[in-house]
Amino acid sequence: MKIGNKVSVVDEDLSGVITSVNGNIVVFKDEYGFTYQYPKEKLVPKDAEIYENIKIIKKAEPRKTISKKHDKNPLILDLHFENLVKNPHDYDSFERLFLQKEKLIHTISFCRKNHLKKLEIVHGIGDGTLQRMVFDVLESQTGLDFYNKEILHHQSGAVMVEFH
């Protein structure tokens, strides 16, 4: 380190030009004219030419694994009967509604057991029987909030459930 060299202080936002060197102690002046004294090991040279020939290697950001609990995408339950059973024509309307209700209650308990925060229930738009059953089940539950997925439409085919 010589008089006239630029230096920066390690772990501080402070730099300046060296005015004198007394053994291990270096005195420098910052851009505002204030003088500072630091030991040599606390200073690093501030020389842009040092870094000119160094190759910059960009590393890929490591992907953070997101647990199911903190996943922003909700679990989706589609209550369309064709998705629940193999032969939908073998059931009458009462059995269909009963199986859909059973699947809904089972999925809500699954979400609670696994600490999931959101559930999207797709009931579709129809005569409203399934939709009424979904709202009845959700109203009977505690520790959750629910609302229509499409807020601007009068009747949507899905309900968002948020667990507390």
Side-chain angles (χ1 to χ4, degrees), residues 108-160:
I108 290 172
S109 66
F110 172 82
C111 289
R112 286 199 167 127
K113 187 174 98 179
N114 291 300
H115 306 291
L116 300 180
K117 295 290 182 192
K118 289 185 178 183
L119 169 66
E120 181 179 340
I121 303 167
V122 179
H123 53 70
I125 299 174
D127 59 4
T129 307
L130 182 59
Q131 183 180 10
R132 277 194 301 276
M133 183 275 296
V134 168
F135 279 106
D136 288 343
V137 169
L138 292 175
E139 286 171 354
S140 69
Q141 301 285 323
T142 59
L144 56 83
D145 292 328
F146 59 93
Y147 52 88
N148 278 343
K149 179 125 181 357
E150 301 294 328
I151 297 172
L152 300 176
H153 300 291
H154 175 67
Q155 181 184 17
S156 71
V159 175
M160 279 301 288

Side-chain angles (χ1 to χ4, degrees), residues 28-160:
F28 67 92
K29 192 179 280 191
D30 70 359
E31 62 183 306
Y32 302 108
F34 294 103
T35 57
Y36 300 93
Q37 292 182 3
Y38 279 94
K40 282 184 180 179
E41 52 275 352
K42 288 281 190 181
L43 300 174
V44 291
K46 191 174 181 181
D47 187 8
E49 294 174 7
I50 295 175
Y51 307 107
E52 281 182 1
N53 297 327
I54 295 177
K55 208 176 205 182
I56 297 174
I57 301 170
K58 289 190 177 183
K59 294 183 179 179
E61 285 284 327
R63 291 209 29 95
K64 245 181 161 178
T65 55
I66 299 173
S67 67
K68 286 182 183 177
K69 179 179 179 181
H70 295 96
D71 190 9
K72 301 294 182 218
N73 298 327
L75 177 68
I76 298 174
L77 170 64
D78 191 349
L79 287 178
H80 287 94
F81 199 69
E82 307 83 49
N83 299 332
L84 300 179
V85 295
K86 289 183 179 177
N87 300 327
H89 302 293
D90 295 344
Y91 299 90
D92 63 7
S93 60
F94 176 75
E95 289 174 317
R96 286 174 176 232
L97 197 61
F98 182 76
L99 288 173
Q100 288 167 323
K101 184 176 182 177
E102 208 172 64
K103 180 68 174 174
L104 175 61
I105 292 170
H106 173 74
T107 306
I108 290 172
S109 66
F110 172 82
C111 289
R112 286 199 167 127
K113 187 174 98 179
N114 291 300
H115 306 291
L116 300 180
K117 295 290 182 192
K118 289 185 178 183
L119 169 66
E120 181 179 340
I121 303 167
V122 179
H123 53 70
I125 299 174
D127 59 4
T129 307
L130 182 59
Q131 183 180 10
R132 277 194 301 276
M133 183 275 296
V134 168
F135 279 106
D136 288 343
V137 169
L138 292 175
E139 286 171 354
S140 69
Q141 301 285 323
T142 59
L144 56 83
D145 292 328
F146 59 93
Y147 52 88
N148 278 343
K149 179 125 181 357
E150 301 294 328
I151 297 172
L152 300 176
H153 300 291
H154 175 67
Q155 181 184 17
S156 71
V159 175
M160 279 301 288

Side-chain angles (χ1 to χ4, degrees), residues 1-7 16-22 25-30 33-37 43:
M1 295 191 177
K2 301 176 196 165
I3 295 174
N5 288 357
K6 291 183 180 181
V7 290
V17 179
I18 296 176
T19 56
S20 68
V21 179
N22 300 329
I25 302 296
V26 176
V27 180
F28 67 92
K29 192 179 280 191
D30 70 359
F34 294 103
T35 57
Y36 300 93
Q37 292 182 3
L43 300 174

